[in-house]
């Protein structure tokens, strides 16, 4: 069993840092980490960055919204939970959003469901998971879907059993697959916005637990694009009124998460009415994926891979006394932006949920976007925590990513373009960017340099890219391709790492192992004998200095010193 060890923060870190009291026992695995409250009644900003938070305690719900405009940036005015479209408060002309838990396929559910859950042991033997039950089952927020408008039914997460693959808590595993989608004002059909999935090793614990529910409040900072729910959620052990370390709950049962068998490859096959295409990212190693078409036209998507070990970070800082790296970053944001992507936290004395500015009294940040802004914010937190993780967890998760990268090579495609996975605490959740000057695919990751024990953390990176997409990006023929994989530290120096490349069954597999952090760039350069590099197009920008105007044309144009880009 992995031990959870509390991070020792260097004396140089300001005393405003509060780790917070928790009920965490020293011998429990990081999967059962529970955060605590700040220790004083001041206002705080906290962080609990654990990748699996996004798929813990999820639920199904359909909601209707009104706003002060029709764009995603419009400010939210009202929100209602719907049993169906057309119910009171859920009139068809409104903006709709769904979170749909995808259950196991059955005689009654034959689309938008999981047709198979499987695992492969170290010998490569495939083992089919035995369906145990839906958990927690249908709730008051479950709703019936409608394939004619691309609305999947909102059902429940479920449990499977692998008797031959025991973990420390037994042989049962929770399977979480959910789709997140929306329908715009007066639009006819829904569209999938996000896909997310996880597998947890679990055991059952009886007690009294709160169950996560759709959030119905409307804050001044809520827009249609940034709408939030309790997904990833906050649940309580009502016997102690503390946050519970559950992957999923019912009112009387907590599914306690345990360390996943690290050398076992887990996977599933999804049967989806509205298929998923483009890119996926997540927390598996040795990733494999396949898309096929069922007899009824549904998409069959199979994904498999081994779990990864991911460092987590947790702390509280007083809002009026941030350490220098965090203060420098938050000084570039508004108070509303600082409180984004977080859970409102009441005062320690329990008297108020909000401060005089109308924003949460304190904020616990957990659900960061895997984008440039989230990347920079996490780097500021890690720099404020002596570059050391608070705990580690084993994670198996796969999710979709939204990106226009390489659009000319994937336009109209109904297949997967690639999968990017890493054990890094944070990364840019987009496909690798193509650096035209160096002719390389670059990918940025960030993690604490050290584990809680003080051991140096070693990174892993897997890129599985569709061979046709890769050849299109580089302008290559169908002839064999080779690759050079390098790891660039933040200062530009090259690290030593173990790298491999192979191409099989229409996919290129690129792997890097053993590199260190805090914020390196993984650089992949594909090569083909006799092929000429794709000519990087030149770009023209306009620069101004007072009333003077100058045009600069280059591969990577930049304005001269003293000039500004128009």
């Amino acid at each position: 069993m992995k031990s959870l060890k509390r991070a020792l923060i260097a004396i140089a870190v300001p005393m405003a840092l509060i780790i917070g009291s928790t009920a965490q026992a020293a011998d429990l695995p990081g999967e059962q980490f529970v955060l605590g409250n700040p220790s004083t009644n001041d206002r705080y900003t906290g962080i609990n960055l654990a990748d699996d938070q996004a798929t813990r305690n999820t639920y199904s719900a359909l909601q209707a919204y009104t706003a002060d405009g029709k764009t995603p940036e419009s400010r939210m005015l009202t929100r209602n939970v719907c049993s169906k479209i057309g119910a009171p408060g859920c009139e068809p002309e409104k903006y709709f959003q769904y979170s749909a838990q995808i259950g196991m396929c059955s005689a009654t559910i034959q689309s938008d469901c999981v047709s198979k859950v499987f695992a492969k042991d170290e010998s490569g033997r495939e083992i089919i998971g035995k369906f145990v039950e839906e958990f927690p089952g249908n709730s008051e927020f479950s709703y019936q879907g409608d394939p004619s408008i691309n609305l999947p039914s909102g059902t429940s997460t479920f449990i499977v059993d692998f008797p031959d693959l025991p973990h420390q808590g037994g042989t049962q595993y929770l399977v979480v697959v959910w789709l997140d989608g929306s329908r715009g004002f007066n639009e006819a059909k829904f569209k999938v916005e996000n896909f997310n999935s996880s597998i947890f090793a679990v055991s059952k614990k009886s007690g009294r637990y709160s169950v996560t529910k759709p959030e119905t409040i409307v804050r001044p900072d809520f827009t249609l694009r940034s709408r939030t729910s309790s997904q990833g959620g906050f649940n309580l052990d009502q016997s102690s009124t503390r946050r519970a370390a559950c992957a999923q709950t019912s009112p009387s049962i907590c599914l306690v998460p345990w360390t996943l068998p690290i050398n076992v490859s887990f996977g599933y096959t999804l049967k989806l009415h509205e298929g998923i295409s483009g890119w996926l990212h997540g927390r598996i190693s040795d990733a494999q994926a396949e898309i096929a078409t069922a007899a009824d036209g549904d998409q069959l998507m199979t994904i498999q891979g081994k779990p990864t070990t991911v460092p987590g970070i947790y702390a509280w800082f007083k809002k009026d006394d941030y350490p220098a790296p965090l203060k420098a970053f938050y000084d570039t944001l508004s108070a509303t932006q600082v409180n984004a992507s977080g859970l409102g936290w009441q005062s320690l004395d329990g008297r108020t949920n909000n401060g005089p500015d109308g924003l949460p009294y304190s904020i616990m940040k957990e659900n960061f976007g895997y984008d440039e802004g989230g990347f920079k914010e996490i780097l500021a937190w890690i720099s404020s925590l002596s570059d050391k993780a608070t705990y580690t967890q084993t994670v198996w998760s796969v999710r979709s990513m939204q990106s226009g990268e390489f659009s000319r090579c994937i336009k109209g495609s109904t297949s997967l373009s690639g999968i990017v996975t890493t054990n890094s605490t944070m990364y840019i959740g987009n496909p690798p960017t193509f650096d035209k000057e160096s002719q390389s695919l670059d990918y940025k990751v960030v993690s604490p340099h050290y584990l809680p024990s003080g051991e140096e953390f070693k990174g892993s990176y897997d890129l599985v890219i569709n061979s046709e997409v890769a050849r299109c990006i580089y302008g290559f023929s169908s002839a064999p391709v080779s690759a050079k994989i390098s790891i660039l530290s933040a200062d530009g120096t090259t690290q030593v790492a173990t790298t491999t490349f192979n191409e099989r069954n229409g996919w290129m597999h690129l792997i890097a192992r053993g590199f260190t952090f805090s914020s390196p760039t993984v650089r992949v350069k594909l090569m083909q004998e006799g092929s000429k590099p794709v000519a990087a197009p030149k770009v023209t920008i306009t620069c101004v200095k007072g009333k003077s105007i100058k045009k600069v044309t280059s591969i990577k144009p930049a304005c001269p010193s003293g000039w500004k880009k128009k």
Side-chain angles (χ1 to χ4, degrees):
M1 181 182 296
K2 291 188 178 181
S3 294
L4 173 68
K5 298 181 180 179
R6 304 299 299 275
L8 300 177
I9 308 302
I11 295 176
V13 176
M15 292 305 292
L17 165 65
I18 302 294
I19 290 295
S21 58
T22 73
Q24 189 75 31
D27 60 345
L28 289 180
E31 291 78 12
Q32 296 176 29
F33 179 82
V34 178
L35 58 85
N37 294 317
S39 61
T40 73
N41 205 39
D42 298 285
R43 299 183 76 180
Y44 285 84
T45 300
I47 187 173
N48 180 40
L49 184 58
D51 188 88
D52 66 355
Q53 286 297 318
T55 48
R56 287 188 183 221
N57 303 299
T58 56
Y59 56 88
S60 291
L62 177 66
Q63 290 186 286
Y65 301 80
T66 62
D68 64 359
K70 302 296 185 182
T71 68
E73 289 72 28
S74 301
R75 185 169 66 87
M76 185 191 304
L77 297 178
T78 65
R79 64 194 301 177
N80 291 289
V81 178
C82 306
S83 59
K84 63 179 181 179
I85 296 175
C90 304
E91 291 73 21
E93 67 273 12
K94 289 186 175 180
Y95 183 96
F96 284 87
Q97 184 261 343
Y98 69 79
S99 290
Q101 301 303 309
I102 303 301
M104 200 78 182
C105 295
S106 65
T108 56
I109 302 178
Q110 299 186 10
S111 187
D112 294 323
C113 54
V114 181
S115 64
K116 181 174 74 170
V117 181
F118 63 94
K120 292 184 179 179
D121 61 18
E122 293 184 68
S123 69
R125 177 175 62 107
E126 183 174 284
I127 307 168
I128 303 300
K130 298 178 181 179
F131 177 79
V132 176
E133 62 177 324
E134 290 186 338
F135 186 91
N138 287 338
S139 74
E140 59 184 300
F141 308 108
S142 300
Y143 65 91
Q144 183 65 41
D146 183 351
S148 69
I149 57 173
N150 292 339
L151 178 63
S153 293
T155 57
S156 173
T157 55
F158 61 94
I159 298 172
V160 297
D161 189 37
F162 286 104
D164 295 337
L165 299 174
H167 54 79
Q168 294 157 333
T171 61
Q172 293 191 346
Y173 295 79
L174 174 70
V175 181
V176 180
V177 180
W178 58 267
L179 298 175
D180 181 44
S182 66
R183 189 179 79 171
F185 293 103
N186 293 310
E187 289 183 353
K189 293 189 176 184
F190 284 82
K191 59 181 179 296
V192 174
E193 291 181 331
N194 296 295
F195 154 77
N196 209 333
S197 63
S198 283
I199 296 175
F200 295 88
V202 296
S203 63
K204 291 183 177 179
K205 178 182 177 182
S206 297
R208 294 187 297 113
Y209 302 96
S210 63
V211 178
T212 48
K213 299 178 180 180
E215 188 175 80
T216 56
I217 66 168
V218 177
R219 283 191 349 212
D221 57 320
F222 281 4
T223 66
L224 293 178
R225 183 188 299 279
S226 65
R227 63 187 182 273
T228 62
S229 68
S230 297
Q231 247 173 232
F234 188 97
N235 59 38
L236 291 175
D237 180 343
Q238 295 184 342
S239 63
S240 63
T241 66
R242 297 191 60 86
R243 192 164 181 170
C246 307
Q248 187 62 282
T249 58
S250 72
S252 60
I253 296 175
C254 164
L255 294 187
V256 180
W258 296 89
T259 302
L260 286 160
I262 204 72
N263 292 319
V264 174
S265 182
F266 293 93
Y268 54 67
T269 298
L270 303 183
K271 188 173 184 292
L272 300 174
H273 181 69
E274 184 185 358
I276 295 171
S277 61
W279 289 78
L280 302 176
H281 66 113
R283 305 302 199 169
I284 56 176
S285 63
D286 301 332
Q288 297 182 48
E290 179 183 349
I291 285 183
T293 303
D296 61 1
D298 277 3
Q299 181 191 73
L300 296 174
M301 183 172 69
T302 301
I303 300 171
Q304 62 179 296
K306 297 177 181 177
T308 58
T309 300
V310 182
I313 56 175
Y314 162 65
W316 291 98
F317 285 110
K318 289 183 181 180
K319 285 182 174 291
D320 60 1
D321 195 14
Y322 292 133
L326 205 56
K327 185 178 188 305
F329 178 78
Y330 283 153
D331 281 349
T332 67
L333 305 179
S334 67
T336 298
Q337 290 171 317
V338 172
N339 283 277
S341 302
L343 179 69
W345 208 271
Q346 67 179 6
S347 60
L348 189 62
D349 58 17
R351 294 182 179 180
T352 180
N353 291 321
N354 295 311
D357 52 10
L359 296 174
Y361 190 82
S362 290
I363 192 84
M364 169 51 68
K365 301 172 78 69
E366 292 186 291
N367 298 321
F368 289 84
Y370 286 84
D371 53 20
E372 195 71 40
F375 188 92
K376 291 178 179 178
E377 187 170 5
I378 294 305
L379 188 57
W381 275 96
I382 289 174
S383 299
S384 301
L385 292 171
S386 299
D387 214 4
K388 194 173 186 180
T390 314
Y391 56 91
T392 60
Q393 296 178 318
T394 51
V395 182
W396 193 107
S397 69
V398 177
R399 65 194 71 180
S400 60
M401 63 173 80
Q402 305 295 325
S403 175
E405 192 75 27
F406 318 132
S407 58
R408 67 183 177 87
C409 295
I410 62 176
K411 186 177 181 179
S413 173
T414 57
S415 185
L416 288 180
S417 301
I419 307 173
V420 187
T421 65
T422 177
N423 65 351
S424 172
T425 300
M426 172 60 76
Y427 52 90
I428 301 295
N430 290 320
T433 56
F434 185 62
D435 188 297
K436 295 173 182 176
E437 189 171 7
S438 64
Q439 292 290 292
S440 63
L441 296 167
D442 292 353
Y443 199 69
K444 296 168 67 176
V445 294
V446 61
S447 273
H449 193 84
Y450 300 102
L451 296 173
S453 64
E455 177 186 355
E456 192 173 46
F457 176 56
K458 297 298 179 68
S460 70
Y461 168 82
D462 290 51
L463 169 62
V464 183
I465 184 170
N466 184 289
S467 294
E468 291 184 4
V469 172
R471 282 179 165 79
C472 175
I473 293 169
Y474 278 90
F476 286 166
S477 70
S478 59
V481 170
S482 60
K484 179 182 179 182
I485 308 171
S486 54
I487 310 296
L488 301 181
S489 295
D491 60 5
T493 58
T494 302
Q495 290 191 34
V496 176
T498 302
T499 62
T500 60
F501 168 80
N502 63 71
E503 184 176 5
R504 62 182 187 273
N505 301 324
W507 294 91
M508 294 182 186
H509 298 254
L510 303 102
I511 299 173
R513 298 282 188 272
F515 55 90
T516 58
F517 292 89
S518 295
S519 56
T521 297
V522 183
R523 173 162 288 180
V524 174
K525 185 170 184 178
L526 300 182
M527 296 163 286
Q528 188 177 63
E529 188 174 349
S531 295
K532 295 181 180 180
V534 179
K538 293 184 177 181
V539 178
T540 299
I541 62 172
T542 301
C543 303
V544 295
K545 184 178 181 181
K547 295 183 178 180
S548 300
I549 299 176
K550 176 185 292 187
K551 292 186 180 295
V552 178
T553 301
S554 175
I555 294 174
K556 288 186 173 182
C559 292
S561 177
W563 293 70
K564 293 183 178 180
K565 184 177 178 181
K566 185 176 180 181

